[in-house]
Amino acid sequence: MSQDTVPQEDEVTVAVMGPTGSGKTSFINIVSGSNLRVGKSLQSCTSTVQVAPPFQLGDRWVTLIDTPGFDDTTRSDTEILTQIAAFLAAAYESGKKLAGVVYMHRISDVRMGGISTRNFKMFRQLCGESTLRNVVIVTNMWGEVLHEVGEAREAELAGDGRFFKAVLDKGARMLRHYNNAASATAILHYLIGNQPRALRIQRELVDQGKDILQTAAGGELNRELNAQIERHRQEMVKLQHDLQEAIREKDEETKKELEIETGKLQAEMIRVQNDSRKLASEYTQQRVELEKRMTQVAEAAKKEAEIAEENHRRQIEELLEAFQQTSSSAESEREKIRRQLTELQQQYEEVQSRRKGGRGILGNLAWILDAILNF
């Protein structure tokens, strides 16, 4: 059964989120048979939204969305939020809701540090409270810890109000991934029967028409950026004081070190301040570009479909004409033409199926967004 004949309600979309290096892309590749890029170093590979080709799970076609974490090594949190928000808003406007969201967490982490806490905080603001029943927190990398150690950490994560307890109390589930297809499939089976729901960020941007700074996720990021700016200011005051002391004491070595540190801090302050200012403008720019490219892609796809259909029609007509001109006594020739007609129809259906299944609305959005960000 080709994907062209699958009813809309049998198409399921699931987003996979979490910190950089938490195993999001590996999870998607294992369960979907995809070949998305996986990071093998300290540097992130998933710096843009990626969409895996749809695959069949039971009687459902599943599309998995791979998202970058809010600790990406190549893009700022502002860039990450604007690209995720632009993608999700455009998908929602195209009629796509998420049947579920997977949040990946490494059980191998000794503690849930600042980076993990910030990622999960942003995740909650993106999702909102009403979609938590469609959320699964997936602990993975169980092979890197003793089982009893992993179980103790899992219990702490589930029972401590500073970690996952609040979302679990409101309907989210915590499941384990053992880095194999069986556990990954079990996780998706839990989600694919859910009623698809819009995330908070989608409702805020599309239904309520909010500016990204007015959204819960945008507000949270802006608060964090302002807090970071304030911490940098306090550090700068201390550095300036220490620098003046070094000058008075004529300590040239310390003076040079402090001047280097001051320069680095000033550059970081400028970067953070710029990130704070450009949050709204970047989102607006990406949405405009996304809509422009989507129009271009739709027009190109329409033209491509028209050309393919015309070529298909012409080839069919030529074969039918050859069939009619072949005498009934030449049965072997007529049978050959019948096979050619059947093969031509199958080839055409396969091309149509690949074109739809290989990219589709979500795939086009991810491809276009990647092109915009790397232009």
Side-chain angles (χ1 to χ4, degrees):
M1 179 171 162
S2 75
Q3 194 189 353
D4 286 310
T5 62
V6 178
Q8 184 71 21
E9 59 269 20
D10 289 334
E11 297 177 0
V12 177
T13 305
V14 174
V16 183
M17 300 184 181
T20 298
S22 59
K24 302 186 295 291
T25 309
S26 295
F27 172 86
I28 290 173
N29 286 344
I30 286 171
V31 74
S32 69
S34 302
N35 192 30
L36 303 182
R37 287 188 65 204
V38 179
K40 298 293 186 184
S41 65
L42 295 176
Q43 196 168 36
S44 167
C45 268
T46 309
S47 56
T48 61
V49 177
Q50 300 184 91
V51 177
F55 63 98
Q56 200 161 9
L57 188 63
D59 59 352
R60 302 292 184 96
W61 283 89
V62 182
T63 299
L64 298 179
I65 303 170
D66 190 8
T67 63
F70 285 94
D71 54 336
D72 191 87
T73 53
T74 60
R75 298 188 186 278
S76 68
D77 284 355
T78 295
E79 292 172 305
I80 298 302
L81 176 59
T82 53
Q83 64 185 264
I84 291 176
F87 179 90
L88 290 174
Y92 183 47
E93 286 180 336
S94 300
K96 292 290 183 181
K97 294 181 182 178
L98 299 178
V101 183
V102 170
Y103 183 85
M104 305 292 294
H105 177 79
R106 296 178 295 254
I107 201 68
S108 56
D109 286 354
V110 176
R111 61 187 179 86
M112 192 162 171
I115 290 175
S116 295
T117 301
R118 187 172 82 249
N119 263 279
F120 188 63
K121 190 181 293 184
M122 289 300 299
F123 169 77
R124 287 196 64 181
Q125 300 299 351
L126 285 167
C127 291
E129 303 295 299
S130 64
T131 57
L132 289 178
R133 291 188 178 277
N134 288 12
V135 168
V136 172
I137 296 170
V138 173
T139 55
N140 68 340
M141 303 190 182
W142 283 84
E144 297 182 12
V145 296
L146 294 173
H147 192 71
E148 56 269 25
V149 173
E151 285 191 326
R153 290 177 186 170
E154 182 184 54
E156 183 181 10
L157 291 168
D160 195 318
R162 296 171 299 171
F163 305 139
F164 300 143
K165 183 178 186 301
V167 298
L168 295 173
D169 287 347
K170 293 180 180 179
R173 284 283 303 275
M174 182 181 283
L175 299 175
R176 298 177 185 178
H177 175 48
Y178 293 109
N179 199 36
N180 57 40
S183 61
T185 299
I187 290 164
L188 291 184
H189 270 301
Y190 173 77
L191 289 170
I192 61 176
N194 290 342
Q195 176 67 36
R197 297 176 182 273
L199 301 184
R200 175 193 278 172
I201 189 77
Q202 293 174 311
R203 296 194 308 272
E204 289 174 326
L205 292 170
V206 179
D207 296 338
Q208 300 168 23
K210 290 184 176 181
D211 182 276
I212 193 166
L213 282 167
Q214 297 173 317
T215 67
E220 178 66 34
L221 179 56
N222 202 43
R223 282 191 294 274
E224 287 190 5
L225 289 172
N226 287 334
Q228 194 172 348
I229 290 170
E230 181 56 33
R231 287 195 298 272
H232 286 338
R233 283 176 180 159
Q234 293 175 6
E235 290 173 23
M236 183 62 74
V237 169
K238 186 178 185 305
L239 276 174
Q240 291 294 336
H241 177 269
D242 292 344
L243 182 59
Q244 291 302 317
E245 285 290 318
I247 291 172
R248 278 195 295 271
E249 295 176 7
K250 297 182 179 181
D251 185 344
E252 288 299 318
E253 185 177 348
T254 301
K255 176 176 172 288
K256 286 179 181 179
E257 290 176 357
L258 290 171
E259 285 174 341
I260 291 171
E261 288 300 311
T262 299
K264 289 179 180 178
L265 186 57
Q266 285 175 334
E268 178 64 10
M269 287 179 69
I270 292 170
R271 185 193 66 79
V272 175
Q273 287 169 343
N274 288 338
D275 279 349
S276 180
R277 294 191 196 102
K278 67 185 182 182
L279 180 59
S281 60
E282 273 207 359
Y283 173 76
T284 302
Q285 181 181 348
Q286 286 192 17
R287 281 308 310 270
V288 169
E289 287 293 325
L290 199 57
E291 289 165 8
K292 179 181 175 182
R293 297 288 183 92
M294 279 301 293
T295 300
Q296 293 172 347
V297 167
E299 291 173 351
K302 182 181 178 182
K303 186 175 181 180
E304 180 186 347
E306 289 172 351
I307 293 172
E309 287 171 8
E310 176 59 27
N311 289 337
H312 175 66
R313 183 191 60 77
R314 179 177 51 77
Q315 290 173 300
I316 292 286
E317 288 176 352
E318 290 173 356
L319 285 172
L320 286 173
E321 184 178 351
F323 184 82
Q324 291 167 356
Q325 291 176 355
T326 304
S327 65
S328 58
S329 60
E331 186 58 36
S332 62
E333 187 64 26
R334 293 169 71 87
E335 181 59 31
K336 179 181 177 182
I337 295 174
R338 286 194 193 98
R339 287 198 302 271
Q340 288 176 328
L341 281 166
T342 301
E343 288 172 5
L344 180 61
Q345 184 64 27
Q346 288 175 343
Q347 289 170 7
Y348 178 74
E349 289 176 357
E350 287 173 5
V351 168
Q352 291 292 86
S353 179
R354 283 198 302 270
R355 191 173 67 193
K356 181 181 177 184
R359 186 163 280 174
I361 292 173
L362 296 175
N364 275 325
L365 284 171
W367 171 67
I368 292 166
L369 192 56
D370 184 57
I372 292 169
L373 292 167
N374 293 289
F375 182 71

